């Protein structure tokens, strides 16, 4: 089974040295989505507008895909709920 590595970039980089054995690329894509969701749940400043990225590589370090995510509040949201963000 192929090994996939999930590196998280959020202003700092968390490198996945161990990786995970998964059956295929589609399984790796599902894991990347779950990892990003779990990471975002731990963040207080998600709506600050900076980019989050999960970079998935194979066992040789070749990038297979990127999952990019940015959360930004529209000006109207700041008026309606000024304590957010």
């Amino acid at each position: 089974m192929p090994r996939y590595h999930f590196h998280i970039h959020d202003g700092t980089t968390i490198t996945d040295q161990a990786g995970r054995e998964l059956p295929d690329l589609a399984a790796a894509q599902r894991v990347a989505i779950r990892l990003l969701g779990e990471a975002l749940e731990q963040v207080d400043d998600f709506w600050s507008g900076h980019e989050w990225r999960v970079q998935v590589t194979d066992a040789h370090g070749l990038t297979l895909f990127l999952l990019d995510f940015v959360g930004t509040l529209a000006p109207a949201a700041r008026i309606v709920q000024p304590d957010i963000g």
Side-chain angles (χ1 to χ4, degrees), residues 46-64:
F46 170 70
W47 296 103
S48 66
H50 76 272
E51 183 177 290
W52 285 72
R53 170 177 281 173
V54 177
Q55 174 190 17
V56 179
T57 63
D58 67 8
H60 304 288
L62 177 67
T63 298
L64 301 173

